[in-house]
Amino acid sequence: GLQGAPFPLAPYELYLGSILANPYCLLTLLLIPLAIAWDYEPAAMRACRPVSMAPEESAATKPGRRRVVLVPLAVLSPAILLGFPLFCGTPVDMFSAAGWQTAFGGDGGPYALLVGSLLGLGAAWALFPRDRGIQPGEAASQGAGSLLPALLVLVLAWTLGSVLEALGASQQIAGWFSLAQSPFWLPLLVFVVGCGMSFVTGSSWGTMGLLTPLALSATLIAGKQAGLDPAALQTLSTMVIGAVFGGATFGDHCSPFSDTTIVSALASGCSTPAHVWTQLPFAALSAGCSLVAYSGMASGLAAWQATGLAAILMVLWLQAARTRAFTRT
């Protein structure tokens, strides 16, 4: 989606720049500990009460040893991280920021992920409990099979995105966005579209795969039409990337069609509708504050300033909700 961009295409640099322009995910990470510490329970959450597990269910869900999980993770993460400089194709200084930037911008990513995953899988295989009633090979094949639907959705999303791009959809979308007063309102519109797509489809990966090339192409067109210089256009592109990621994650949190929502409900021992209704107020709060953040970005605030403003607004809102709860009590 960024072909022909007037600024250097450094994927990892653009991704890192988009983190502060992704207020939805950052505000959600802030909301979780605050909701726990302040005992924040929306009406939908208060309506649900804990249910005691039957003795046989409690025995079946007995947790395993911590090292069975922690050791493979301790192998997986460093192996992937070290694989980037080892497989990037050029010698890099691993003790400098410039060296890591070169490593992350190289071609070693697929090899690092493959080798690191194989090493992590080997560690998990070696530590696999023998009293689980399932063999390690069978568990590994089931885990790999669970990825096939996500890969299929991703391939179909790429296909649809290519078809829409060939039909000139990005130019049409850019024409709609050009009606806005400033191209810097584009991240807010992309975030809203991403929230709608991810909620209706239930696929964050599908939303990213479909929306990313269209939104970035529209960003280049709208930015050039507005006469933005390369630096401003790069900043706008990072904001759009953050908006795509945030909007796609919204559906993961509360869509009744999302595999993440369904698995979370199963792991929590509640029904999927109950999990959706109790999750919606939290997701809506983060999304609403994110709209404030993107409005601030469109008004000229830096991404970190707008996200910080939205975080303050969320804290004040939670404080007010907490005060109302104490008053009712």
Side-chain angles (χ1 to χ4, degrees):
L2 288 176
Q3 291 181 356
F7 51 82
L9 293 181
Y12 284 97
E13 184 177 349
L14 290 172
Y15 164 70
L16 293 175
S18 73
I19 292 177
L20 291 179
N22 185 357
Y24 178 80
C25 291
L26 295 175
L27 293 175
T28 301
L29 292 175
L30 174 64
L31 176 60
I32 293 171
L34 288 179
I36 295 173
W38 292 349
D39 197 23
Y40 169 64
E41 286 190 340
M45 183 67 77
R46 291 195 302 271
C48 293
R49 296 292 90 192
V51 179
S52 300
M53 297 179 64
E56 59 273 12
E57 292 178 330
S58 178
T61 57
K62 182 179 179 181
R65 297 178 180 178
R66 293 181 180 178
R67 65 184 181 90
V68 175
V69 176
L70 296 181
V71 171
L73 289 177
V75 173
L76 172 70
S77 300
I80 292 178
L81 189 62
L82 292 174
F84 279 91
L86 292 177
F87 296 108
C88 72
T90 58
V92 297
D93 183 7
M94 298 174 58
F95 298 98
S96 67
W100 282 102
Q101 183 176 352
T102 302
F104 285 134
D107 299 328
Y111 304 102
L113 291 172
L114 176 61
V115 174
S117 299
L118 289 176
L119 292 176
L121 177 62
W125 197 298
L127 296 172
F128 193 87
R130 305 303 174 184
D131 58 351
R132 286 293 180 180
I134 184 174
Q135 296 300 316
E138 184 179 356
S141 61
Q142 289 180 3
S146 66
L147 294 176
L148 292 179
L151 293 175
L152 179 60
V153 169
L154 195 57
V155 171
L156 292 177
W158 286 336
T159 303
L160 181 59
S162 299
V163 172
L164 293 177
E165 182 67 22
L167 293 174
S170 59
Q171 286 79 7
Q172 183 65 41
I173 294 174
W176 297 340
F177 291 143
S178 65
L179 300 176
Q181 186 177 5
S182 166
F184 280 93
W185 286 100
L186 184 59
L188 187 149
L189 298 177
V190 170
F191 175 72
V192 172
V193 172
C195 288
M197 288 180 59
S198 63
F199 186 84
V200 172
T201 64
S203 172
S204 59
W205 283 100
T207 301
M208 294 176 192
L210 175 60
L211 191 56
T212 297
L214 294 177
L216 290 178
S217 297
T219 300
L220 291 183
I221 296 173
K224 292 177 181 178
Q225 290 176 349
L228 296 182
D229 60 76
L233 188 55
Q234 182 175 2
T235 300
L236 178 59
S237 298
T238 58
M239 291 180 180
V240 169
I241 293 171
V244 171
F245 288 162
T249 307
F250 175 83
D252 255 352
H253 286 168
C254 58
S255 172
F257 313 109
S258 170
D259 55 352
T260 306
T261 303
I262 296 171
V263 171
S264 298
L266 292 174
S268 302
C270 67
S271 65
T272 299
H275 180 57
V276 170
W277 284 113
T278 54
Q279 187 76 354
L280 267 173
F282 295 97
L285 176 57
S286 295
C289 292
S290 297
L291 294 178
V292 175
Y294 285 119
S295 298
M297 296 180 202
S299 301
L301 294 178
W304 68 270
Q305 293 173 329
T307 301
L309 178 63
I312 294 173
L313 177 64
M314 173 181 284
V315 171
L316 293 176
W317 195 95
L318 289 174
Q319 282 280 20
R322 186 185 186 195
T323 302
R324 289 197 301 269
F326 282 140
T327 302
R328 288 194 301 266
T329 303

